[in-house]
Amino acid sequence: MNWPPLSSKTSEILAEVLRDCVHTRPADLFGHVAQALQERSGLDPLEFEKHFEECRQKPRTYTLEDRVPVGQDPYNWVPMRYNDDTISLSLKRRAAELTSEILAAFAIEDMKAFLDRMVVAFPELMYIRASPSELVGNFGATGPEELAALQALRAVYLACSGCPEVPFDDESVEMDFRCEALVRQARAVFLQPAKDEAVLEALVVLMMLRALGANENFRRRCGGGVERSPEEAALHAIDNQESVLPSFHRLSSEQKTKIRASLQVFFPLGMLITTEAMPAHFSKAKDHLVPCPGAMDLFSCALVVDYMVSCRAGLMKDEAVDYVKIGLQSLASLDKYSAPRAYEMFLKKRGERHGWRVVRDDNLLKAIVRCCCLAGLEDTDAWNDMLSSVEKLPDRQREVLQTEMARKDGCAESPAYILVGGGQFMRAACSSLAVGAMPALLLLARILEDAARHFDHALLAHQHMVHIDLRSLAKRVTGYTPGGAAFEDLPFTLQESGVGFAVVRLAGDAP
């Protein structure tokens, strides 16, 4: 709240009294100051006490700001604004009203006004807003993390609304969700657990925390450093500066436990669909989510909401939605099966769509299924072409793919190499007339072979996963023209970028 400033006369009298205390050093400092101020006020003490008691009996109301006042730092204002239990309770009531509104049987007509009320009810969002003092309005002028957070909130509404027919388009193109097949399946199946208000509230806070963690300024000030992942930054803030997270602080211990578990495990659903994710990811999920009742439901809902945002701008085929269903089913099976077995079931179901039979010990076929998924291949002829390409590889390169993409899964054998951006690379290569699948597979085998030599397994005994960033390869595919060095022979270096992280640098890449 904003207290009125002291008058110049009051400030002058206070200064005089304090200066007098410095010189006289009274034994009873507070009593001396109180007596001096009383004498200078010119008021009768008995009359003032009577007036004070009368005022005390009157009902009092406070006008509290809903958003950061102009010129103030959100990181200072939000913790101070919500450091009182009574005020925090009012915040909880506002959030409960909004979650009830999401689940209601009527549509929300004004999405901007709704999102603005969400920002007020979950005030941590002000940390990442371009103009925290203003109403939510021009989405085109927002920063990437703020926009992603608002899109996630709209995705939650679309998937959880109790209204039978919710329009997926919006007057603002940034809030359009064209992936109708995915949204409809999310409403019907994927986000059913979030129809419970406690789960829905935890889901909103979880998505907000990930958006905060993605913001560089938040990571620097509250997340333990800019080098941390969004989830690591959010967990650091929870563990060390929970006062900056009033929405998380007011949750029940059960909700907090589920959110913590989900942040410790989180990986984008797209990584599973492309098989960039590995059994090692499933192993973490089994360790953190399965022992916590309801955590897998919250985690799965968060995966779908995040995927809805990433896919919102394009149409989606029913087959692509089926991949989401298969992925979620494989994760849900972790309560019954080991991580490698649950992941194997995912690969098996992907292969069955094309008449392939993936068996437990066939690591080469598992690697080929992963290559097909990385390339985003959908029809059976394309899968068979990929099978033919891998079978034509020299024995050494074929063995590398079999070992590094299937046998070393981060569970039975480590480390597993996580191909970050591998889907972008393989899709670009397989759709390029100048490159194609075979050169891409040969280059990928070279990179994995170099990684196996580069990383000292003795030092990585505790490191189940090594992330290899391949995103520069997709850009090189786009600009590649035949005539120079063959694509599969392009020179590269593997640079470590942290513990368990490496980046592939091609000759000519910007540092």
Side-chain angles (χ1 to χ4, degrees):
M1 63 186 70
N2 287 335
W3 295 104
L6 296 176
S7 68
S8 58
K9 183 64 175 176
T10 302
S11 298
E12 183 181 334
I13 291 174
L14 280 171
E16 290 176 0
V17 170
L18 293 176
R19 276 196 298 269
D20 179 64
C21 290
V22 171
H23 295 299
T24 61
R25 298 179 180 276
D28 181 5
L29 175 62
F30 290 106
H32 177 83
V33 170
Q35 183 63 35
L37 292 176
Q38 177 180 302
E39 292 171 355
R40 284 168 170 78
S41 71
L43 299 174
D44 181 88
L46 295 178
E47 289 183 4
F48 180 80
E49 183 176 358
K50 179 181 178 181
H51 175 68
F52 179 77
E53 289 299 325
E54 290 175 355
C55 291
R56 254 190 0 140
Q57 304 304 317
K58 295 178 181 179
R60 290 165 291 167
T61 59
Y62 298 95
T63 301
L64 303 175
E65 304 88 349
D66 286 337
R67 61 197 76 242
V68 182
V70 175
Q72 293 200 28
D73 183 355
Y75 289 91
N76 295 328
W77 184 84
V78 171
M80 289 295 294
R81 168 70 168 78
Y82 297 104
N83 67 350
D84 177 88
D85 289 342
T86 302
I87 297 176
S88 181
L89 184 61
S90 69
L91 191 68
K92 186 175 182 65
R93 282 197 296 265
R94 278 182 171 174
E97 290 170 1
L98 287 169
T99 53
S100 297
E101 191 172 338
I102 290 173
L103 298 173
F106 54 84
I108 294 174
E109 300 294 339
D110 189 339
M111 185 51 56
K112 286 183 180 178
F114 169 74
L115 292 175
D116 189 71
R117 284 183 288 133
M118 291 293 281
V119 169
V120 171
F122 298 90
E124 299 93 324
L125 290 168
M126 298 184 198
Y127 298 148
I128 58 175
R129 295 202 63 208
S131 302
S133 304
E134 298 179 4
L135 299 174
V136 171
N138 182 10
F139 297 118
T142 61
E145 295 86 16
E146 178 186 354
L147 181 60
L150 297 176
Q151 288 171 338
L153 292 175
R154 174 156 165 79
V156 169
Y157 163 68
L158 291 177
C160 298
S161 173
C163 181
E165 291 295 331
V166 178
F168 301 156
D169 58 345
D170 189 79
E171 63 178 12
S172 302
V173 66
E174 294 86 359
M175 293 295 140
D176 275 346
F177 278 74
R178 301 182 63 197
C179 52
E180 292 191 16
L182 176 60
V183 178
R184 293 190 189 282
Q185 195 67 6
R187 287 173 58 81
V189 180
F190 301 151
L191 262 78
Q192 281 299 309
K195 299 298 178 71
D196 176 87
E197 288 197 18
V199 177
L200 178 57
E201 184 180 30
L203 175 61
V204 170
V205 173
L206 173 56
M207 301 312 295
M208 178 193 70
L209 288 171
R210 291 196 64 251
L212 294 177
N215 181 265
E216 182 177 327
N217 192 36
F218 181 87
R219 294 200 302 275
R220 181 183 297 109
R221 297 186 64 166
C222 306
V226 295
E227 72 284 351
R228 291 177 181 262
S229 71
E231 294 75 29
E232 289 172 339
L235 287 167
H236 184 275
I238 288 171
D239 291 336
N240 298 278
Q241 298 188 54
E242 192 173 314
S243 63
V244 304
L245 303 172
S247 297
F248 178 84
H249 179 73
R250 63 176 171 74
L251 296 178
S252 69
S253 59
E254 181 182 355
Q255 289 171 309
K256 289 181 178 180
T257 301
K258 293 177 185 177
I259 290 174
R260 283 177 179 273
S262 297
L263 288 171
Q264 289 169 322
V265 172
F266 198 92
F267 58 89
L269 183 57
M271 284 185 64
L272 177 55
I273 292 171
T274 62
T275 67
E276 291 177 25
M278 294 281 284
H281 291 91
F282 277 43
S283 181
K284 284 186 69 175
K286 187 174 181 68
D287 290 344
H288 292 283
L289 300 176
V290 172
C292 177
M296 182 64 78
D297 284 340
L298 176 63
F299 175 67
S300 297
C301 289
L303 290 186
V304 174
V305 169
D306 180 68
Y307 194 57
M308 286 172 62
V309 173
S310 67
C311 298
R312 66 166 196 86
L315 300 176
M316 182 173 286
K317 297 180 180 179
D318 290 336
E319 291 84 353
V321 178
D322 284 342
Y323 302 153
V324 176
K325 180 180 178 181
I326 293 171
L328 295 177
Q329 287 175 340
S330 64
L331 283 168
S333 70
L334 285 170
D335 65 340
K336 298 178 181 178
Y337 301 107
S338 66
R341 177 61 177 152
Y343 189 85
E344 181 185 291
M345 290 170 62
F346 173 69
L347 295 183
K348 184 176 181 179
K349 290 180 180 179
R350 294 293 297 267
E352 284 175 351
R353 298 180 63 88
H354 305 282
W356 291 16
R357 184 171 179 268
V358 181
V359 297
R360 180 171 300 182
D361 297 326
D362 195 343
N363 287 324
L364 180 59
L365 190 57
K366 292 178 185 177
I368 296 171
V369 170
R370 287 194 65 203
C371 289
C372 293
C373 295
L374 284 167
L377 305 180
E378 295 181 2
D379 61 88
T380 299
D381 287 342
W383 275 58
N384 290 333
D385 289 343
M386 181 65 76
L387 173 63
S388 177
S389 295
V390 174
E391 288 178 339
K392 291 177 182 177
L393 290 174
D395 291 345
R396 185 172 123 191
Q397 281 74 22
R398 193 166 59 248
E399 178 64 28
V400 169
L401 294 182
Q402 175 177 315
T403 300
E404 307 301 340
M405 293 186 68
R407 197 183 79 207
K408 290 167 67 173
D409 58 4
C411 297
E413 188 173 346
S414 296
Y417 294 109
I418 312 304
L419 305 178
V420 179
Q424 298 174 29
F425 165 52
M426 289 299 294
R427 282 195 302 273
C430 290
S431 60
S432 169
L433 296 177
V435 180
M438 180 68 78
L441 291 170
L442 288 168
L443 179 57
L444 182 59
R446 285 179 57 211
I447 292 170
L448 289 171
E449 188 175 28
D450 190 58
R453 288 194 301 264
H454 182 82
F455 290 97
D456 185 344
H457 289 203
L459 294 177
L460 289 169
H462 65 289
Q463 194 74 36
H464 298 294
M465 293 185 279
V466 173
H467 295 73
I468 302 179
D469 190 338
L470 304 179
R471 285 174 289 190
S472 64
L473 300 185
K475 297 177 182 177
R476 186 57 63 92
V477 169
T478 304
Y480 179 77
T481 55
F487 185 83
E488 61 268 29
D489 295 328
L490 289 175
F492 69 86
T493 57
L494 196 61
Q495 299 179 357
E496 289 192 57
S497 56
V499 178
F501 291 86
V503 179
V504 172
R505 302 285 188 195
L506 293 170
D509 283 351

